[in-house]
């Protein structure tokens, strides 16, 4: 139960009181053993949705983590996660703090990319069904095994350590693909020996697979551009066809998280006893488990980048077939690939001092501004591309890192619309066949999925309003609108 008091500028929900400190900014004051304050970025409608689950209490709990620096943040798309809210950002001292697998999540480097084309919407009219069927036939989807590459443990180990460099040498990526990925598609700290055989075995049959749940491949048309100079730098124009790919490290990443949560719970039980939620289990910075988890996590990050790259390769082959031209002639270049679930060592200014931090982004996107040295050279003058998927009935956004992101949010913004209801509730509220028919009949959106249940779980009504999320991001200066896209074809597991 929530209650908004306009006259006192407070918001109360489930025993937690937030104080408004600015437009779209809400303060969660320190209580008990919280080490820092919390901060929620949201308008009233989004805040009411966030308060409907355990997101606020999870943000409050996260503020207890040793070494966390102010503030612990919930983005406007926040919703309940495992221990740490999805849509949460927690920056923790990399020397005196901890690293928490729960604050990264099970789907390590669940992330998103956009592939551009020179096709217009008119070019794909009448071919939507062919695109949907051919993409579905050529991009492995669903639970379990099946990928583009039949690998073994050796292949997985190489991918874990080399990332997109492996895909370039194997002929699945270009050098331009590599330089348009976050971190150029490779975390050099990755160490395959820190990844269990169980995790490698789960990964070897999923190299180049979409998976299930909210993962998707979507052909989209650009409907609007908002900052002409930035859109031009990104290579985007109205009516252009682009492809959005959203997936992560699959069973490999899930197993890594499971393995290290169990080990950390046993080895650092004393630290766990000091935390309000065991799902926040964390290893002290500098400990063997912290180092091992970081190396394993970086391996999963590399695996996810390769996974999305192989799906990109398959997508290019499909477009070649459907449009009878080489993909290079179709202009199918990578705009950018950015991670959502990740913890990385980054340098940030805290109280006037540069500090090395583990920046945990769980369902949050890195959004570095123009001029930051980590932004690819092609975009350094305008800012890092940021990709925010909405839902398959309302469209998505491409942003650029905002000028205030470093000061406000450790260089971060939201990662999408954020769920309003659980998958179980969604299947009770929606019938997949009806959703599929409505999208095609009302909006000319072709959806192909393994089952009606999958479509019901991802129905448009399951998600928050992406326009509200983006409006908050832009108003706060942490992510600026560049373009909006609308679905044409959507492929799901």
């Amino acid at each position: 139960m929530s209650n908004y008091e306009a006259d006192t500028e407070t918001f109360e929900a489930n025993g937690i009181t937030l104080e408004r400190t600015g437009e779209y900014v809400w303060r969660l004051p320190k209580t008990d053993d919280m080490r820092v304050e919390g901060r929620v970025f949201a308008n009233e409608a989004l805040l009411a949705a966030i308060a409907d689950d355990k997101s606020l209490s999870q943000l409050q709990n996260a503020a207890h983590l040793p070494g966390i620096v102010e503030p612990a943040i919930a983005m406007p798309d926040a919703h309940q996660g495992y221990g740490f809210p999805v849509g949460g950002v927690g920056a923790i001292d990399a020397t005196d703090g901890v690293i928490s697998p729960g604050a990264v999540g099970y789907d390590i480097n669940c992330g998103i990319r956009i592939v551009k084309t020179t096709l217009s919407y008119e070019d794909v009219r009448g071919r939507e069904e062919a695109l949907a069927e051919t993409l579905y036939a050529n991009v492995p989807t669903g639970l379990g095994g099946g990928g583009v590459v039949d690998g073994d443990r050796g292949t997985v180990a190489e991918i874990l350590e080399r990332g997109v460099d492996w895909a370039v040498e194997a002929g699945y990526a270009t050098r331009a693909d590599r330089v348009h990925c976050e971190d150029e598609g490779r975390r050099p700290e990755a160490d395959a020996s820190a990844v269990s055989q169980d995790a490698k075995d789960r990964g070897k049959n999923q190299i180049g697979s979409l998976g299930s749940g909210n993962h998707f491949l979507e052909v989209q048309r650009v409907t609007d551009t908002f900052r002409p100079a930035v859109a031009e730098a990104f290579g985007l124009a109205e009516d252009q066809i682009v492809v959005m790919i959203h997936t992560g490290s699959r069973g490999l990443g899930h197993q890594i998280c499971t393995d290290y949560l169990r080990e950390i719970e046993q080895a650092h039980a004393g630290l766990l006893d000091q935390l309000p939620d065991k799902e926040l289990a964390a290893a002290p910075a500098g400990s063997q488990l912290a180092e091992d988890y970081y190396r394993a996590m970086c391996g999963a990050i590399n695996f996810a980048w390769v996974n999305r790259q192989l799906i990109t390769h398959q997508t290019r082959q499909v477009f070649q077939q459907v449009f009878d031209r080489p993909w290079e002639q179709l202009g199918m270049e990578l705009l950018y690939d950015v991670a959502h679930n990740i913890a990385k060592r980054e340098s940030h200014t805290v109280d006037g001092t540069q500090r090395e931090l583990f920046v945990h982004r769980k369902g949050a996107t890195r959004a570095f501004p123009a001029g930051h040295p980590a932004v690819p050279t092609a975009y350094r003058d305008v800012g890092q591309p940021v990709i925010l998927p909405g839902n398959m009935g309302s469209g998505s956004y491409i942003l650029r890192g905002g000028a205030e992101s470093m000061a406000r949010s450790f260089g971060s913004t939201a990662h999408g619309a954020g769920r309003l209801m659980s998958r179980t509730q969604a299947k009770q509220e929606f019938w997949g066949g009806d959703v599929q028919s409505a999208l095609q009949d009302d909006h000319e959106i072709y959806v192909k999925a393994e089952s009606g249940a999958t479509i019901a779980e991802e129905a448009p009504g399951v998600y928050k309003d992406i326009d509200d999320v983006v409006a908050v991001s832009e108003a706060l200066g942490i992510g600026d609108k560049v373009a909006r896209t609308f679905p044409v074809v959507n492929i799901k597991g």
Side-chain angles (χ1 to χ4, degrees), residues 116-124 127 131 220 237-242 319 323 325 329-332:
K116 300 178 288 184
T117 79
T118 52
L119 295 167
S120 69
Y121 182 44
E122 191 61 33
D123 292 329
V124 303
R127 304 192 196 193
L131 264 179
Q220 305 171 338
E238 291 181 12
D239 207 42
Q240 177 183 4
I241 292 295
V242 298
F319 271 66
F323 295 98
R325 276 183 282 165
Q329 289 185 17
L330 296 171
M332 298 188 73

Side-chain angles (χ1 to χ4, degrees), residues 56-72:
L56 294 179
S57 61
Q58 288 187 335
L59 180 66
Q60 190 175 56
N61 291 342
H64 290 73
L65 286 164
I68 192 167
V69 301
E70 200 166 88

Side-chain angles (χ1 to χ4, degrees), residues 191-425:
D191 183 352
S193 69
V195 177
S196 71
Q197 297 301 338
D198 286 346
K200 291 171 184 169
D201 286 341
R202 291 185 70 178
K204 68 184 182 183
N205 298 319
Q206 297 181 336
I207 308 168
S209 61
L210 200 59
S212 61
N214 66 341
H215 296 158
F216 63 84
L217 183 157
E218 192 167 86
V219 180
Q220 305 171 338
R221 58 187 171 100
V222 177
T223 57
D224 304 275
T225 56
F226 304 101
R227 287 175 166 80
V230 183
E232 183 179 1
F234 285 2
L236 298 172
E238 291 181 12
D239 207 42
Q240 177 183 4
I241 292 295
V242 298
V243 182
M244 183 179 285
I245 297 168
H246 178 222
T247 188
S249 52
R250 305 284 278 110
L252 178 139
H254 194 285
Q255 190 64 50
I256 287 172
C257 183
T258 299
D259 290 341
Y260 279 95
L261 276 173
R262 289 172 180 165
E263 290 191 49
I264 289 169
E265 285 171 1
Q266 293 177 3
H268 299 290
L271 191 158
L272 184 59
D273 288 342
Q274 300 172 32
L275 296 173
D277 186 346
K278 70 176 184 178
E279 294 179 355
L280 290 172
S287 68
Q288 189 62 53
L289 271 178
E291 296 297 323
D292 289 347
Y293 171 71
Y294 192 74
R295 292 198 297 267
M297 179 195 65
C298 287
I301 292 167
N302 290 343
F303 185 94
W305 276 322
V306 170
N307 189 28
R308 293 195 286 276
Q309 184 61 48
L310 292 185
I311 294 171
T312 299
H313 172 79
Q314 293 298 97
T315 301
R316 286 167 170 165
Q317 302 306 304
V318 166
F319 271 66
Q320 281 189 166
Q321 178 182 338
V322 172
F323 295 98
D324 196 27
R325 276 183 282 165
W327 67 262
E328 293 90 345
Q329 289 185 17
L330 296 171
M332 298 188 73
E333 300 292 340
L334 181 62
L335 169 65
Y336 199 58
D337 181 306
V338 65
H340 289 161
N341 293 350
I342 203 163
K344 292 199 302 186
R345 287 180 180 269
E346 294 177 1
S347 180
H348 289 267
T349 303
V350 180
D351 296 329
T353 303
Q354 285 292 113
R355 291 172 64 177
E356 285 291 313
L357 306 172
F358 287 127
V359 181
H360 296 69
R361 297 186 180 97
K362 183 178 183 180
T365 309
R366 195 184 78 170
F368 285 176
H372 195 287
V375 177
T377 304
Y379 308 131
R380 198 164 297 163
D381 289 343
V382 294
Q384 176 208 305
V386 177
I387 304 164
L388 267 63
N391 65 64
M392 57 186 175
S394 71
S396 302
Y397 281 91
I398 300 162
L399 284 64
R400 56 97 177 259
E404 299 300 317
S405 69
M406 302 306 287
R408 280 190 181 271
S409 59
F410 303 102
S412 312
T413 190
H415 85 308
R419 293 189 75 89
L420 276 172
M421 64 178 72
S422 69
R423 300 186 187 284
T424 300
Q425 184 183 353

Side-chain angles (χ1 to χ4, degrees), residues 8-23:
T8 58
E9 304 240 324
T10 62
F11 181 94
E12 294 187 8
N14 304 316
I16 295 174
T17 299
L18 302 178
E19 302 169 357
R20 187 199 291 271
T21 61
E23 186 180 26

Side-chain angles (χ1 to χ4, degrees), residues 53 68 79 93 405 441 471:
D53 59 28
I68 192 167
H79 61 90
D93 192 280
S405 69
D441 295 344

Side-chain angles (χ1 to χ4, degrees), residues 3 197 439:
N3 183 37
Q197 297 301 338
L439 288 169

